[in-house]
Amino acid sequence: MKNFLFKLVLRLSLNSYKTPIRRKIHKAFFKFLQIILFKIKFHIKDIKVDKNYIKFLNQGFVIIDKKINFNLKIKSKLINSIRLAKSIFENEKLQYVKNNKPYLKNINFHSTVNAGKTFYELFTDDYFLNFAKNYFNDIPLLTEIKLLHSPITHDNLFTGSQLLHSDHDDNKLMKIFIYLNDVTQESGQLEIVNKYISKRIMKNSYYRWGQENRKYKSHDDLLLNLYPNNNAINLLIGNKGTIVIADTANCLHRGSRNPNKERLVLYATYSSRTSFSHPPINWIFQTKTASLISSPLMSLDPIGIYINEIAINN
C-alpha cells in the first residue's frame, strides 16, 4: 500500500507543472506540509545585494562581466573551476552523459578527482547563494551542476530547447552560466526575452508547459509573433569568464542554434524546495529513492563528503 501511495504521489507531482492550476495546487500542498505540519518557516532578510542583483530582479537576467570586483575567495574558486572544466573538456578520453541532445551535450565529470567538490564550492559561494536567498526569499535548493558543450552544427531544423520556451521546473529558477570560452554570435549563444515581455507573450498565448497540440506549442518560435518587436530577443554573448544569471522559467529563451564555434559552459540551477521537477516527496516517504528525487545532487556525492544542506531537501 505504501509503495502504491509513493508511486501515486510521485506521478501526480511530476505532472503538476503543465497548467497554472496544477502548479498552484502543487505549491499549496507542499507549502502546507512545510509550514503547517512540519512547522518549517524561512524568511530571508538583511542580505546585502549589488547592482547585478537589481538588474537580474528587474529584467529576469543579468550578464556579469569577469572584471567585477569579486573578493579573493570567489575569484580563486572561479579561476580553479574554469581551469578544471577546460582540462576536462580537453581530455582525450572525454565522456558524455547518456541521452544527450545532438546540439547540447552534457559532459561527464564525475570520475574527475575533486571536480564535483570544486564546482559545488563555487556555486555555493556566498555571492551566488545570497543572490538565490534574496530571489526565493527562502533557503534555495541547488539541483544541477553541469558541464555543457554546444558542438558545431549545421542543421536549420531547430527542435527542443533551440526553440523559444519557458523551463517548466518551478515558478522561479536561478540558472548560472559561466562561459569557458568566448561566446559570440557564432557560438549558438543563449537568447532570452526579459520577464515582462515574456509574461505578456505567455499570457496572450495561453502558454502551457509540455503542450504540443495547441496553436502555440511549449517550444515555439512563433511565440515571438505575439510581440512583433525586433528588440524582444537579447543575445547573451561575452568573453571567457563571463557569468550569466537568468530565470529561465519566467524568461522565454532558446540556444545552441547552429553554432559555427563550439560553446563551453559550466552551469548550475537553484530552485525552491517545492519545485515541480524535484518534488519533496521525501518529506512524506523516507526512502533513498525519494531522497534522490528531491535532492538530485546527492548522486554527485553519495557518501556525503561535501554536499550540505544547500543541496539536501529535508
Side-chain angles (χ1 to χ4, degrees), residues 176-189:
I176 306 165
F177 305 80
I178 300 176
Y179 294 172
L180 304 177
N181 60 347
D182 293 346
V183 174
T184 69
Q185 293 186 39
E186 297 182 330
S187 309
Q189 76 287 331

Side-chain angles (χ1 to χ4, degrees), residues 162-178:
Q162 293 176 303
L163 300 170
L164 207 64
H165 66 285
S166 159
D167 289 342
H168 73 271
D169 308 67
D170 207 345
N171 287 340
K172 277 184 176 183
L173 292 170
M174 190 185 113
K175 297 205 172 187
I176 306 165
F177 305 80
I178 300 176

Side-chain angles (χ1 to χ4, degrees), residues 115-288:
K117 184 174 185 291
T118 299
F119 300 152
Y120 186 82
E121 289 180 350
L122 169 64
F123 288 119
T124 56
D125 182 86
D126 285 345
Y127 185 81
F128 296 126
L129 189 53
N130 287 342
F131 237 85
K133 285 179 177 179
N134 271 291
Y135 194 50
F136 293 101
N137 192 31
D138 201 340
I139 305 299
L141 184 70
L142 187 63
T143 60
E144 289 183 297
I145 297 177
K146 293 181 178 179
L147 187 52
L148 299 176
H149 175 214
S150 295
I152 296 171
T153 57
H154 302 287
D155 186 355
N156 288 317
L157 297 174
F158 299 138
T159 61
S161 59
Q162 293 176 303
L163 300 170
L164 207 64
H165 66 285
S166 159
D167 289 342
H168 73 271
D169 308 67
D170 207 345
N171 287 340
K172 277 184 176 183
L173 292 170
M174 190 185 113
K175 297 205 172 187
I176 306 165
F177 305 80
I178 300 176
Y179 294 172
L180 304 177
N181 60 347
D182 293 346
V183 174
T184 69
Q185 293 186 39
E186 297 182 330
S187 309
Q189 76 287 331
L190 184 63
E191 303 178 10
I192 197 165
V193 179
N194 76 45
K195 67 180 185 180
Y196 296 106
I197 297 176
S198 294
K199 183 178 180 180
R200 176 177 166 182
I201 292 173
M202 293 171 75
K203 180 180 178 181
N204 291 340
S205 66
Y206 300 97
Y207 190 90
R208 297 293 183 269
W209 295 263
Q211 294 294 325
E212 295 299 320
N213 57 348
R214 302 172 64 89
K215 179 178 179 180
Y216 295 102
K217 299 178 176 63
S218 61
H219 292 66
D220 198 340
D221 284 345
L222 292 178
L223 289 164
L224 278 177
N225 292 344
L226 296 170
Y227 191 85
N229 187 317
N230 292 333
N231 297 322
I233 291 284
N234 299 273
L235 308 182
L236 304 187
I237 59 177
N239 296 327
K240 175 183 175 181
T242 294
I243 300 169
V244 170
I245 301 179
D247 181 345
T248 56
N250 285 289
C251 293
L252 294 166
H253 61 286
R254 62 192 183 188
S256 299
R257 293 163 67 95
N258 275 359
N260 293 315
K261 290 172 50 184
E262 62 187 9
R263 179 175 60 135
L264 305 175
V265 175
L266 182 59
Y267 155 99
T269 299
Y270 275 104
S271 74
S272 75
R273 292 179 176 263
T274 57
S275 73
F276 311 117
S277 286
H278 306 292
I281 57 173
N282 64 311
W283 295 357
I284 308 169
F285 305 99
Q286 299 295 323
T287 67
K288 183 178 180 181

Side-chain angles (χ1 to χ4, degrees), residues 15-27 276:
N15 284 293
S16 62
Y17 66 86
K18 292 188 176 182
T19 68
I21 292 176
R22 288 187 188 184
R23 292 163 81 92
K24 287 179 181 178
I25 292 172
H26 172 104
K27 286 289 183 180
F276 311 117

Side-chain angles (χ1 to χ4, degrees), residues 83-94:
R83 183 185 296 127
L84 178 57
K86 285 282 288 182
S87 71
I88 292 170
F89 178 77
E90 291 165 358
N91 191 319
E92 62 182 20
K93 295 181 180 179
L94 178 68

